[in-house]
Amino acid sequence: MDESWLIPYADILTLLLALFIVLFASSKIDAQKFEQISQSFDGALNGGSGVLEHEASVEQYGDIVQFPSPAEVEEAEEMTLEEDYEALGQLEEKITGFIEEKGLSSKIQTEMTGKGLVLKITEGVLYASGSADITEGSRAVAKEISNLLVTDPPRKVFIEGHTDNVPATSAEFPSNWELSSARAINFMKILLENDELDPKKFSATGYAEYHPVAPNDTAQGKAKNRRVEVLISPYEE
């Protein structure tokens, strides 16, 4: 049987293997080194003539062929995050405008943090002392806040309840854990009456007295610690 066909078949396989090796090696290599590799393979395989003897085609893309470095990728991500915080800043301006319009500057504050935009609401705006029921007059404020939380795409929103260090001892709230959690949940429920908000993006947590923003040794400090915070997070990648 004539097996002479095996010779060109083996040559083709060898050339294909060489081609893949060159392509892999040239993924991040300059054009001069690519040309040296090309000539080396041409000489070894077929005496300097063949598909690899011509100038490297990668030159048409520039002197160097390379993928973005990890530093470049990280820089692009940082720029995206920076742009996102600019959008959060615009949202903060809208919320601040609402606060000033309603005369609530002493009871609602905004703060930009590393975690996102925080809206701090003192106890008297939403609840009576020792209660987790939102007052009827505060429901309108809560509903207007819910309109401000509508973004495209939706952001994650974390509702956090906080108390001072005076123990809660009622049958309904045997400790500040229950009181702070109930306040966060009840406020979140009012917000989610807005059909434009996605419930999957919301969560509620009670922190009791363990995350104070002021000393609890004065009435003013206690008043600052009795609050609900709304954390509006940056977009997720």
Side-chain angles (χ1 to χ4, degrees), residues 16-17 28 39 42 63 86 89 98 189 207 217 227:
L16 286 173
L17 175 62
K28 190 173 184 180
Q39 292 176 357
D42 281 337
D63 293 335
E86 289 181 3
F98 161 75
K189 286 180 178 179
Y207 287 102
D217 52 4
R227 70 198 188 279

Side-chain angles (χ1 to χ4, degrees), residues 114-194:
K115 293 182 178 180
L117 174 60
V118 177
L119 181 61
K120 298 180 180 181
I121 309 172
T122 57
E123 176 190 53
V125 177
L126 301 174
Y127 313 99
S129 179
S131 172
D133 296 327
I134 295 180
T135 61
E136 193 60 35
S138 298
R139 291 181 66 88
V141 175
K143 287 184 177 297
E144 292 194 60
I145 290 175
S146 76
N147 292 328
L148 294 169
L149 296 178
V150 177
T151 58
D152 184 23
R155 295 177 181 271
K156 281 191 173 182
V157 178
F158 303 89
I159 314 298
E160 303 174 352
H162 301 268
T163 69
D164 58 24
N165 65 346
V166 177
T169 57
S170 67
E172 186 178 7
F173 305 115
S175 76
N176 283 329
W177 288 112
E178 286 85 359
L179 177 59
S180 61
S181 298
R183 285 180 167 178
I185 291 171
N186 288 347
F187 182 59
M188 182 179 68
K189 286 180 178 179
I190 300 295
L191 295 178
L192 292 177
E193 290 179 2
N194 187 335

Side-chain angles (χ1 to χ4, degrees), residues 76-87 114 234-235 237:
E77 291 176 349
E78 289 177 354
M79 289 178 62
T80 301
L81 186 60
E82 181 180 349
E83 293 171 356
D84 189 18
Y85 266 88
E86 289 181 3
Y235 290 126
E237 295 295 331

Side-chain angles (χ1 to χ4, degrees), residues 93-105:
E93 290 179 3
K94 289 175 59 178
I95 295 175
T96 301
F98 161 75
I99 293 171
E100 292 175 351
E101 178 186 346
K102 299 298 180 181
L104 296 172
S105 299

